[in-house]
Amino acid sequence: MGFRSLILLISIVLWCMPAQSQKVAVILSGGASKGGAHIGVLRALEEQHIPISYIAGTSVGAIIGGLYASGYTPDEIETLISSEEFQRNASGLMYDEYVYYYRREESNASWISLDINPKKKITSSLPTSLKSPFMIDFRFMEIFAPPNAAAGGDFDKLFVPFRCVVADIDSSSAVIIKKGDLGSAIRASMSIPFVYNPVILNNKVMYDGGMYNNFPTNVAADDFKADVIIGSRVAERYDKPDPEDIVSQLLIMLMGKQSSNIPYPNSVLILPNVPVVDLLDFSHTKTLADSGYAAAMRKITAIRKLVHDSVDSDNLIRRREKFKHSQPLLVFDSVITKGLTRAQNAYVRQVLKHGQKLVSLDELRPEYFRFIDEGFVKTIYPEARFNAGTGHFDLLLDIRKSDGFSVDFGGNLSLGTVNEAFLELRYKYLWTKALHFLANGYFGKFYASAKLGARVDFYIIEREYFGDLCIGLPITNAGKIGLDFTYAFTNNKYYQSNQFSRYDTADQTGFNFFAPSLCFELNSLNRKQYAGAGAWLKLSLAYVNGTEGFLPGSTSTEKNEIVNHHEWFCFRLLYDNYFKSLGPVKFGFYGEAVISNQPLFCNYVSTLIRATAFQPVPESQTLILPNFRALSYAGAGLKVVVRVYKKIEYRLEGYLFLPYQEILEDPVTHTATLGPVFSSRSVIASTALVYHSPLGPISLGVNYYDKSPGSFHLNLNFGYIIFNRRGMP
């Protein structure tokens, strides 16, 4: 064969061989919520049939890139990132359906709560993040576990090969993650210091990759050996720190330097025109995506000069659907915990699985957050690992238990007489059952009380002068039903006349009683005092059986000791509801009714003390108001709450109290009698300006109590007017 023939043959062979496809890598920078612009860039590239051979990202770029590599379309990514659910997840807000009122401690006057562990440094008890990570951690597991299982933990086998950049603070360097748990890698890459807590990968503490490599174009060149690099950058580094702006100083310290271009040949840099948005405000995602789309379209001509290949849309859709169909359903057959004892492991498995062999994601989710709501864990990180042998997922939980002891401080500071201090010590221990112990005290001249309590899943023993055994069950997330058995002894000292000296002794009434009661309660109020949203419904039926003992003092008209046996039934209905807002204004309704055949005690004062009180405003709990107490009554009122500015609100409330029979006093014998049916009514009015501070409410207001001495009460309070509940149902 001649030389010319050989050249011709080689030319024909080369011409017949398919041209090698170009390797195009897309790089997405960090930039928190501004990363929504990356979605528009991906949308423009797909519309223009630009092939995406590889994708890599840092922080929010890792989230967007990871979703794309998992088979999500740009439209699906935009829907997910802009959703209210993702906004709540990123902000650390728990959904109401995952907050269990049954687990909520009774309201008290605490301002702040601190964990106590004498074996640890104080700094180790400080929070490591501003946002609760529980929701976003579970959401990332939910989103990324199935595609990670389909790829076998190899990021090269995803729908598009993917790389994720994280920061190893031990070595002060960027780390490129290309295999392992996809959700954990992406979660680590978005762990902005002081905002989210870090993630442990390979026994190393990993933070936001933007600390050391916020725009990882080097990954395209070094890992992917890309022919063409397309970069989308949404974050700009401050040129120099502002000495009066600590935020700019932190951002410079935490974000590595980045050049104004891509330092590699055959590359195109896309710079979307992004507005100023808050760090975690994803409500502008659609606007940002449009900005990214426009910026990418302006660069299409430059990109097409480098990228000659095109992607067929139908083929892209088929490949994406094929990868999605290869993803297994997220069904769990085992729970593996780290950081707990054997007994605690058993408790967690029982809570999450309830003895079932298989648990779906929808079944697991509410039980998972119910366990978190119990307060036994300080941190918990979930990982769903696919088990090829069973065809299902193992749920791996890395748990750090909360410190067992905690202390609460609080109380109330007032211009009036209701000054008090509050202190509570709590201890929680997770065993085969959840154990809670507490002791608290209120200290003040007006009111003093002590409380010892314990809770073991289903009962509670508490109160200063009584024991209370409660068998309870949760009814929906916001409700509970309880059966109480109370045994109590109370003692009251009082004068029945204003005519007494320091040499006189007071009358005493003791009441030793047993009181079983059944209570149904729903509570979704947003605050323990001065609520502005939600509702509270309480229905209770109690039976009281006890012995009254009266010991007369020196001023009593009755000179003999008296012992009486009493028994009665009492039904109580309480309904407190806030309706939807009309601009800054919100309306509320409060209603209460008591039906009882409670008998009269031996004198007027002892009867009044044992009667149920209508106390719809906080200050009324500190006053003995005879015309707002009765054995049976109905009371109702309306509330208007106006949001003045952020956490400042103005409240206007008015209530009507209608006793079935008013409790009257014989002026001579000081015994109690009942007035005519529905012959009396009284009014309460309240107006207050309230600031909801981080420690507790600060209120300045005036209350009006009809038919009472000194009807108008000016009050200034800082804190909570909340007391331990009485033993009387």
Side-chain angles (χ1 to χ4, degrees), residues 511-527:
F511 188 47
N512 190 356
F513 66 90
F514 172 69
S517 64
L518 181 66
C519 178
F520 172 78
E521 194 169 2
L522 296 172
N523 194 330
S524 61
L525 295 178
N526 63 334
R527 303 187 189 101

Side-chain angles (χ1 to χ4, degrees), residues 253-474:
M253 287 189 289
L254 298 177
M255 184 183 293
K257 292 183 178 180
Q258 50 190 20
S259 60
S260 59
N261 54 38
I262 300 176
Y264 296 98
N266 299 329
S267 61
V268 176
L269 176 63
I270 300 173
L271 296 173
N273 183 21
V274 294
V276 177
V277 294
D278 290 342
L279 191 70
L280 299 177
D281 184 4
F282 292 92
S283 63
H284 304 283
T285 296
K286 186 181 187 309
T287 301
L288 290 164
D290 291 343
S291 175
Y293 178 86
M297 292 300 293
R298 291 193 294 268
K299 293 288 187 175
I300 288 299
T301 301
I303 292 173
R304 272 302 177 195
K305 289 181 179 180
L306 301 174
V307 180
H308 310 300
D309 295 343
S310 292
V311 175
D312 179 69
S313 297
D314 292 337
N315 182 51
L316 181 66
I317 293 172
R318 284 194 297 269
R319 286 198 307 108
R320 182 174 274 134
E321 289 303 314
K322 181 179 179 181
F323 182 76
K324 287 183 177 180
H325 287 318
S326 70
Q327 300 177 19
L329 292 176
L330 204 52
V331 177
F332 301 90
D333 68 346
S334 64
V335 177
I336 303 169
T337 62
K338 177 184 177 182
L340 300 180
T341 66
R342 180 179 297 180
Q344 293 165 345
N345 288 335
Y347 175 79
V348 173
R349 284 194 295 270
Q350 177 60 30
V351 167
L352 298 184
K353 295 189 65 179
H354 294 291
Q356 300 181 65
K357 179 175 175 57
L358 298 177
V359 178
S360 69
L361 180 69
D362 290 338
E363 292 170 326
L364 173 71
R365 189 185 294 110
E367 302 304 327
Y368 177 83
F369 289 111
R370 181 171 75 87
F371 171 63
I372 292 175
D373 192 45
E374 291 180 357
F376 289 101
V377 300
K378 189 167 187 176
T379 62
I380 179 171
Y381 189 81
E383 178 185 339
R385 186 175 297 172
F386 186 69
N387 188 326
T390 63
H392 302 298
F393 285 85
D394 297 330
L395 177 62
L396 282 66
L397 299 176
D398 189 354
I399 297 175
R400 180 185 171 195
K401 293 179 291 186
S402 61
D403 295 324
F405 286 99
S406 62
V407 61
D408 288 8
F409 302 92
N412 187 63
L413 302 175
S414 173
L415 289 179
T417 60
V418 194
N419 290 290
E420 64 179 8
F422 172 79
L423 175 66
E424 180 171 279
L425 181 66
R426 294 194 307 272
Y427 176 69
K428 294 180 291 186
Y429 182 71
L430 185 61
W431 185 47
T432 55
K433 293 289 186 292
L435 309 178
H436 299 253
F437 304 92
L438 65 87
N440 74 24
Y442 288 84
F443 309 94
K445 291 183 178 181
F446 169 78
Y447 175 81
S449 171
K451 170 182 173 181
L452 294 175
R455 175 173 177 163
V456 185
D457 268 354
F458 54 87
Y459 70 83
I460 183 167
I461 305 170
E462 56 180 0
R463 304 306 169 223
E464 60 266 13
Y465 295 114
F466 66 89
D468 186 16
L469 175 65
C470 175
I471 300 173
L473 292 172

